[in-house]
């Protein structure tokens, strides 16, 4: 376990996490850090990507020191096994985002057909814009247009000819490059299925060929499944605009019914939000002695309702067990993705109800209340009522909320950013050309108990904004940066003089929250818009990305689509590829000559920030702009 006297060894940089980990130890409740320690030492073969269980002639593992087996039973060598494993990882991530997108499209269709009474078309202007991208007649009424759009998007999931519609947002040069490389993304399901086929024993046994298809699969997520998820969420629930809110465990309220919204898809949380405003349920909460009903977010469902509704954010990935330890959560309502199977055990130590809502995601020790487009509003009321009644079972002496909340401003969709700039990217480009803003970096991704929670996110972000680089964040990074105070308007004081002046003029923080994991597509869409406005391909822009604490297969897919889209990406956790020199060399160097961008792996966040700054400055030089290097 970490040495808590050394800041680099502590399990978190944040006082709320540290206080709650201590409480877990006092109460004898196991957390993710205890289980991580119990797994030490982790398997070296798997860490290097050198183990394979793709068939039952195996499992096989190769000796990284060259003394034991160098081939699996079928004859697969290290390059083949590592490439196959990485491709499957990316496919699983792409599938997760895209299945989330599909659920939204099915709901859009149900809304259009009048079968989803809780939902509505909220952003009609966005419906018009997206429908136009899909070539749908402009003069259709909204319901008919939404139906056409849902059907067109559904078609994109399957056997789609040509490339995905949203890829047209990119400069022509990027699409041409993908077509030349045969990696322009087709149907999302098709690319994932093809990855699983190619990585079956006896199919694709060329590491480079496997990896190129892995990029294509990731692109079908970034410019397909994830982008569809973002855009349809905006149509159904509204396109985010800047909104003030709060963050950290202090957003739970001692005197209120607290409901924690966890997972990724806003379909459930939006209905809980509506139900939480039901006067009868608020009256019932008051009758039970609570001041009201308080919704708080966790992980990316939290980001979704924060971006659109200003719901305060309790924490990110590694806070999910600890939020229950406050003893103040009447219910944790989950949809899917990034929900640890352990949360039911922790909830069982308190009065908290763990409530699952998706037929795809059932959990031990949970109550299941299945949401469908047809019943969601009614189910939302049922779940909120359950939480309210549970307030009577709370034991006040066990309530421990260790901190006061921190202020933040969220809600920076592409539309909101362009709105703040007067409707076009030109002022941002002018600031970049003038050197006031050096460039932009997307700092994104998860927490991982291998890394002191949020040290990577906050160190990199702090260094970048001090160097006049605008930071765009999503996912768990967004929570880390908000807790560190970077996303209050006063965060501008932490920026370099150029970025600070822009932030003060526009009344924005130096770190712009662009949403959840699927909303990384907002970042690539903004990159495409900047590239188009400048008349260059994406890989020429002074931009980069970082995933300092990633853990998830989805993060692998995001990083792969960022690089394939031309964005240099620094990872803070080493992916399981070092067992193959061919694969490692391709990712760290070779890809640059193929797609114009590559990966770097740098666990030290200060060194990672230096790499990102160097990248931004060198791209500035490439554009003929001044460079500080
Ligand atoms: Fe072993 Fe080959 Fe089967 Fe993998 S596919 S488990 S390397 S025999
Ligand atoms: S929740 S994928 S831990 S960012 Fe999107 Fe956080 Fe990563 Fe899940």
């Amino acid at each position: 376990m970490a040495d808590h006297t050394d800041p680099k060894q502590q399990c978190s940089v944040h006082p709320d996490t540290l206080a709650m980990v201590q409480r877990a130890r006092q109460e004898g409740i196991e957390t993710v850090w205890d289980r991580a320690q119990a797994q030490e030492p982790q398997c070296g073969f798997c860490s290097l990507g050198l183990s394979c269980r793709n068939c039952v002639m195996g499992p096989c593992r190769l000796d990284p020191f060259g003394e034991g087996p160098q081939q699996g039973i079928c004859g697969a060598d290290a390059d083949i096994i590592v490439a196959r494993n990485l491709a499957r990882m990316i496919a699983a991530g792409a599938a997760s985002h895209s299945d989330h997108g599909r659920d939204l499209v099915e709901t859009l269709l149900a809304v259009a057909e009048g079968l989803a009474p809780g939902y509505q078309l909220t952003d009609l202007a966005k419906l018009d814009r997206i429908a136009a991208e899909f070539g749908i007649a402009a003069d259709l009424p909204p319901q008919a247009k939404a139906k056409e759009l849902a059907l067109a998007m559904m078609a994109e999931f399957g056997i789609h000819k040509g490339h995905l519609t949203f890829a047209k947002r990119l400069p022509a040069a990027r699409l041409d490059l993908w077509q030349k490389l045969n990696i322009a993304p087709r149907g999302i399901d098709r690319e994932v299925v093809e990855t699983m086929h190619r990585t079956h024993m006896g199919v694709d046994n060329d590491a480079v060929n496997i990896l190129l298809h892995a990029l294509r699969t990731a692109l079908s997520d970034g410019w397909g499944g994830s982008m569809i998820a973002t855009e349809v969420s905006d149509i159904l629930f509204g396109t985010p605009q800047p909104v003030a809110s709060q963050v950290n465990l202090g957003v739970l309220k001692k005197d209120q019914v607290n409901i924690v919204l966890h997972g990724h898809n806003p379909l459930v949380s939006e209905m809980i939000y509506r139900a939480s405003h039901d006067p009868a349920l608020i009256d019932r909460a008051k009758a039970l002695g609570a001041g009201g009903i308080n919704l708080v977010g966790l992980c990316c469902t939290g980001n979704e309702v924060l971006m659109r509704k200003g719901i305060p954010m309790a924490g990110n990935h590694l806070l999910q067990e600890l939020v229950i330890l406050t003893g103040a959560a009447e219910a944790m309502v989950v949809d899917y993705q990034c929900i640890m199977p352990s949360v039911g055990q922790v909830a069982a130590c308190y009065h908290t109800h763990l409530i699952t809502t998706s037929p795809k995601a059932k959990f031990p020790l949970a109550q299941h209340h299945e949401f469908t487009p047809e019943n969601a509003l009614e189910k939302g009321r049922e779940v909120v009522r359950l939480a309210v009644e549970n307030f009577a079972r709370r034991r006040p002496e066990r309530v421990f909320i260790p901190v006061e909340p921190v202020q933040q401003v969220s809600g920076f969709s592409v539309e909101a950013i362009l709105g703040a700039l007067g409707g076009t990217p030109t002022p941002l480009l002018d600031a970049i050309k003038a050197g006031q803003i050096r460039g932009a970096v997307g700092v994104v991704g998860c927490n991982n108990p291998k890394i002191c929670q949020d040290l990577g996110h906050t160190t990199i972000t702090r260094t970048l904004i001090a160097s006049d680089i605008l930071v765009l964040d999503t996912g768990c990074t967004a929570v880390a940066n908000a807790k560190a105070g970077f996303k209050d308007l006063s965060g501008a004081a932490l920026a370099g003089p150029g970025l600070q002046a822009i932030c003060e003029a526009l009344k924005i923080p130096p770190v712009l929250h662009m949403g959840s994991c699927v909303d990384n597509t907002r970042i690539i869409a903004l990159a495409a818009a900047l590239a188009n406005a400048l008349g260059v391909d994406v890989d020429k822009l002074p931009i980069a990305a970082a995933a300092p604490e990633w853990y998830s297969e989805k993060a692998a897919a995001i990083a792969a689509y960022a690089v394939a889209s031309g964005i240099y990406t620094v990872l803070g956790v080493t992916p399981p590829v070092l067992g193959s020199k061919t694969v490692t060399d391709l990712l760290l160097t070779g890809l640059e000559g193929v797609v114009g961008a590559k990966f770097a792996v740098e666990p030290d966040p200060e060194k990672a920030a230096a790499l990102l700054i160097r990248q931004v400055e060198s791209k500035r030089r490439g554009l003929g702009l001044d460079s500080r290097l």
Side-chain angles (χ1 to χ4, degrees):
M1 183 46 69
D3 170 5
H4 285 235
T5 57
D6 174 354
K8 296 220 168 180
Q9 290 269 301
Q10 283 186 340
C11 65
S12 175
V13 297
H14 294 302
D16 55 353
T17 306
L18 294 172
M20 297 314 287
V21 168
Q22 199 179 359
R23 180 173 169 87
R25 296 212 173 107
Q26 283 161 356
E27 304 244 326
I29 295 173
E30 194 178 81
T31 67
V32 63
W33 289 279
D34 301 313
R35 294 188 298 273
Q37 187 182 35
Q39 286 292 332
E40 292 293 343
Q42 288 182 303
C43 173
F45 298 100
C46 292
S47 300
L48 295 170
L50 285 174
S51 52
C52 179
R53 51 182 176 78
N54 287 12
C55 85
V56 294
M57 289 192 284
C60 303
R61 55 189 198 179
L62 309 189
D63 183 354
F65 304 110
E67 287 161 13
Q70 296 300 295
Q71 291 183 323
I73 294 168
C74 65
D77 63 12
D79 293 342
I80 296 168
I81 289 178
V82 170
R84 282 195 311 214
N85 288 341
L86 180 62
R88 284 193 169 201
M89 186 182 226
I90 289 170
S96 304
H97 282 152
S98 297
D99 204 40
H100 163 167
R102 190 199 325 265
D103 284 341
L104 282 153
V105 174
E106 286 185 343
T107 304
L108 181 66
L109 182 62
V111 171
E113 291 178 335
L115 299 173
Y119 300 98
Q120 63 193 43
L121 302 172
T122 298
D123 189 339
L124 295 179
K126 184 141 198 175
L127 171 65
D128 287 347
R129 286 200 304 280
I130 304 297
E133 285 188 71
F134 277 76
I136 294 164
D139 55 356
L140 287 177
Q143 299 293 120
K145 192 177 275 185
K147 181 168 181 172
E148 291 287 307
L149 180 60
L151 293 172
M153 285 176 161
M154 281 176 177
E156 296 242 316
F157 277 79
I159 302 179
H160 187 72
K161 302 289 178 205
H163 59 75
L164 294 171
T165 300
F166 285 135
K168 284 185 292 190
R169 292 177 169 186
L170 280 155
R174 179 66 26 186
L175 205 43
D176 288 349
L177 175 67
W178 289 348
Q179 272 159 343
K180 212 165 71 206
L181 294 167
N182 210 21
I183 62 168
R186 302 163 297 179
I188 300 136
D189 294 350
R190 177 177 187 156
E191 306 303 7
V192 173
V193 168
E194 190 171 320
T195 296
M196 299 311 285
H197 176 198
R198 284 179 184 233
T199 54
H200 186 279
M201 203 296 279
V203 186
D204 200 350
N205 289 298
D206 179 312
V208 174
N209 208 39
I210 294 168
L211 289 175
L212 281 174
H213 186 72
L215 293 185
R216 190 177 208 177
T217 305
L219 289 171
S220 76
D221 173 21
W223 297 91
S226 274
M227 201 167 269
I228 286 172
T230 295
E231 303 297 29
V232 175
S233 295
D234 286 355
I235 292 169
L236 289 175
F237 306 122
T239 302
Q241 290 296 323
V243 60
S245 188
Q246 297 183 322
V247 65
N248 76 24
L249 283 184
V251 302
L252 283 109
K253 299 286 171 251
K254 259 189 179 151
D255 62 343
Q256 304 221 8
V257 173
N258 292 302
I259 302 177
V260 183
L261 305 169
H262 183 15
H264 278 77
N265 197 322
L267 284 168
V268 168
S269 50
E270 286 279 343
M271 291 304 106
I272 303 283
Y273 174 83
R274 278 189 65 178
S276 71
H277 288 83
D278 183 325
L281 290 170
I282 295 171
D283 285 349
R284 179 62 185 151
K286 289 184 174 161
L288 289 169
I293 301 170
N294 182 41
L295 302 186
V296 302
L298 203 70
C299 288
C300 281
T301 288
N303 281 319
E304 296 277 353
V305 286
L306 166 63
M307 289 278 287
R308 295 193 182 85
K309 303 284 189 285
I311 296 296
M313 174 65 92
N316 51 8
H317 185 54
L318 290 181
L319 253 302
Q320 61 184 288
E321 294 169 307
L322 305 182
V323 68
I324 299 171
L325 276 140
T326 60
E330 274 55 57
M332 175 181 278
V333 184
V334 305
D335 46 85
Y336 42 53
Q337 298 172 15
C338 299
I339 301 144
M340 291 187 196
S342 62
V343 286
Q345 288 163 14
V346 183
C349 299
Y350 292 84
H351 73 302
T352 309
H353 290 313
L354 174 65
I355 297 171
T356 52
T357 58
S358 165
K360 299 171 191 175
K362 296 192 176 180
F363 281 70
L365 302 175
Q367 299 182 41
H368 191 66
H369 295 255
E370 199 156 303
F371 280 59
T372 65
E374 295 76 21
N375 75 7
L377 187 55
E378 175 205 324
K379 284 283 163 185
R381 283 201 204 99
E382 180 180 302
V383 164
V384 172
R385 191 173 304 114
L386 208 69
V388 167
E389 295 298 335
N390 201 24
F391 186 75
R393 292 176 61 236
R394 186 194 283 186
R395 286 175 50 194
E397 75 282 6
R398 293 193 80 194
V399 172
F400 175 57
I401 300 172
V403 289
E404 289 298 317
V406 169
Q407 304 300 317
Q408 66 168 323
V409 179
S410 170
F412 291 95
S413 57
V414 175
E415 290 84 343
I417 293 173
L418 294 182
L421 295 169
T424 76
T426 308
L428 179 57
L429 285 172
D430 288 346
I432 290 174
K433 285 180 192 163
Q436 247 185 317
I437 296 178
R438 311 301 298 170
V441 173
V443 187
V444 308
C446 325
N447 290 145
N448 186 324
K450 291 177 176 172
I451 292 183
C452 170
Q453 184 206 23
D454 297 346
L455 179 69
H457 300 308
T458 53
T459 307
I460 290 176
T461 301
R462 187 181 289 111
T463 311
L464 293 177
I465 60 175
S467 307
D468 290 316
I469 292 172
L470 180 68
V471 169
L472 312 170
D473 68 8
T474 60
C476 289
T477 312
V479 185
N481 285 339
K483 283 167 77 172
F486 302 156
K487 295 200 304 207
D488 187 25
L489 294 184
S490 62
L494 301 167
L499 178 58
Q500 186 177 347
I502 300 273
C503 290
E504 285 170 357
L506 296 177
K507 301 215 175 347
I508 56 170
V511 181
L512 303 182
H513 181 200
M514 295 192 78
S516 62
C517 302
V518 295
D519 292 337
N520 284 306
T521 60
R522 297 192 200 274
I523 299 180
I524 56 172
L526 181 61
L530 292 176
N532 285 326
L534 214 52
V536 298
D537 195 358
V538 175
D539 63 311
K540 306 293 184 296
L541 295 173
I543 62 172
E549 304 177 30
W550 73 287
Y551 92 89
S552 151
E553 291 162 322
K554 291 178 292 168
I558 293 164
Y561 74 61
V563 168
S565 299
I567 303 172
Y568 170 77
T569 299
V570 181
L571 304 176
V573 181
T574 309
V577 300
L578 297 183
S580 162
K581 187 167 170 355
T582 304
V583 173
T584 305
D585 287 351
L586 185 67
L587 298 179
L588 298 185
T589 50
L591 273 180
E592 183 142 48
V594 182
V595 293
K598 61 184 180 179
F599 292 92
V601 177
E602 180 47 72
D604 180 330
E606 280 162 18
K607 290 184 185 159
L611 288 176
L612 293 159
I613 293 167
R614 204 168 70 199
Q615 174 74 5
V616 165
E617 295 294 339
S618 89
K619 291 292 171 183
R620 289 184 62 83
R621 237 183 357 258
L623 286 171
L625 304 174
D626 74 295
S627 171
R628 289 178 180 170
L629 293 181

